[in-house]
Amino acid sequence: MRASASWAVRAAVALATVYAVSACGSTDSGNNGGTAGSSANGEQLPVVATTPEVADFVRNVGGSGIRVTQLIKPNVDPHEYEPTPADIQAISTASLVVKNGVGLEKWLDQTITSAGFKGTVVDTSQGVTLRRGDPDDEEMAEGDPHIWHNPRNARIMAENIEKALVSADSAHAAAYQKNYQDYAAKLDALDAENVKKFDALPVGQRKLVTNHDAFGYYVDRYQLEFVGSVIPSMDTSAELSASQLTDLVAKIKATGTKAIFSESSLPPKSAEAIAQQAGVKVVGGEDALYGDSLGTEGTPQGTYIGAEEHNTDTIVKALGG
């Protein structure tokens, strides 16, 4: 993501629009008109979540006790996201704002300031052991932000959310704690299934090439070999140079890598061009990996667990075939 010099202008315009948005109320379903801290009075606690993954964790832990506004929609690149007037309005009336952290939401601090938000910001990355960031990219200096691709990290993220909800709404602490325990068991099961599936794939075939460097935590957890990425960065705004393209093609051929995996939130053209030069297939379309996003709401891939199951099944099938 690259910060825009015109952000302040957009923010000013957005603030002027907030009052019009406010008059119409929230567009989220389940809006009971609650205000900050209103859950103690029997209404749902208003919570804003930034990314689809974080929003899914919040819904699973919060259950019926909360009302979630998700800022970034499915298949939208979080690295390039720009907040809207509706985002500012939602933040201004929330009790909690829950973020991924590790510098993924570079735009969030200014948006919170514009909204006049005085509540609690929950950084779900707290306690996660971070992978080193790209030394050549100051935007990723805090570390690799794609922490959710290891289900063990997802468990930590969900626990941070549980603690924040209990603190904000102690009257429903028992429900939030039970929801977390139930969801943590599902995350543990996902992790165990992933291990089982990769154990069935010969070590020499576990070679991964993706659209951008989003799967580092996944690669580390399941002992894959990361051959390279079409976009040579954790940030999707980076560009592949001619020499890097040549090097990647050569590396794909030298390692015997079978496929390049495109991602749902990124265009597949560059991946297709490199695959043609390297003589390998592109895994895309409905089989594209969920790198920075989740699938469409209402589909299995519209949940974190469903998207991660899809990723593992797709990778194992393509590399084992």
Side-chain angles (χ1 to χ4, degrees), residues 256-279:
T257 301
K258 292 186 176 183
I260 296 176
F261 295 90
S262 64
E263 297 172 39
S264 64
S265 58
L266 294 172
K269 289 185 178 180
S270 296
E272 291 168 351
I274 291 173
Q276 186 174 13
Q277 292 187 46

Side-chain angles (χ1 to χ4, degrees), residues 24 31 45 47 50 87 92 114 122 201 234 288 293 307 318:
C24 298
N31 179 6
L45 190 77
V47 180
T50 55
D87 295 341
S92 72
S114 297
V122 183
L201 184 67
M234 299 170 188
S293 187

Side-chain angles (χ1 to χ4, degrees), residues 47-63 66 68-72 74 98 124 148 154 157-158 161 165 179-180 183 186-187 190 293-308:
V47 180
V48 167
T50 55
T51 69
E53 297 84 4
V54 169
D56 192 48
F57 299 153
V58 171
R59 292 187 188 101
N60 276 280
V61 177
I66 64 172
V68 183
T69 299
Q70 175 183 320
L71 300 187
I72 303 176
V98 186
T124 61
W148 63 90
M157 297 169 78
I161 291 166
L165 289 174
N179 290 345
Y180 165 70
Y183 189 58
K186 294 178 182 179
L187 295 175
L190 167 68
S293 187
L294 300 181
T296 304
E297 184 178 354
T299 66
Q301 296 81 16
T303 68
Y304 167 77
I305 289 176
E308 293 295 315

Side-chain angles (χ1 to χ4, degrees), residues 98-145:
V98 186
K99 68 177 183 177
N100 180 85
V102 204
L104 184 66
E105 303 100 336
K106 299 279 185 192
W107 44 270
L108 184 59
D109 287 347
Q110 287 179 299
T111 308
I112 285 173
T113 299
S114 297
F117 178 71
K118 303 299 182 183
T120 300
V121 178
V122 183
D123 184 345
T124 61
S125 71
Q126 294 300 306
V128 173
T129 300
L130 300 180
R131 294 180 69 245
R132 184 168 174 264
D134 188 341
D136 298 322
D137 187 352
E138 63 180 19
E139 295 286 337
M140 298 287 109
E142 294 183 42
D144 183 347

Side-chain angles (χ1 to χ4, degrees), residues 243-266:
S243 62
Q244 288 171 323
L245 188 154
T246 300
D247 290 345
L248 180 57
V249 170
K251 195 171 182 181
I252 290 170
K253 291 180 177 179
T255 57
T257 301
K258 292 186 176 183
I260 296 176
F261 295 90
S262 64
E263 297 172 39
S264 64
S265 58
L266 294 172

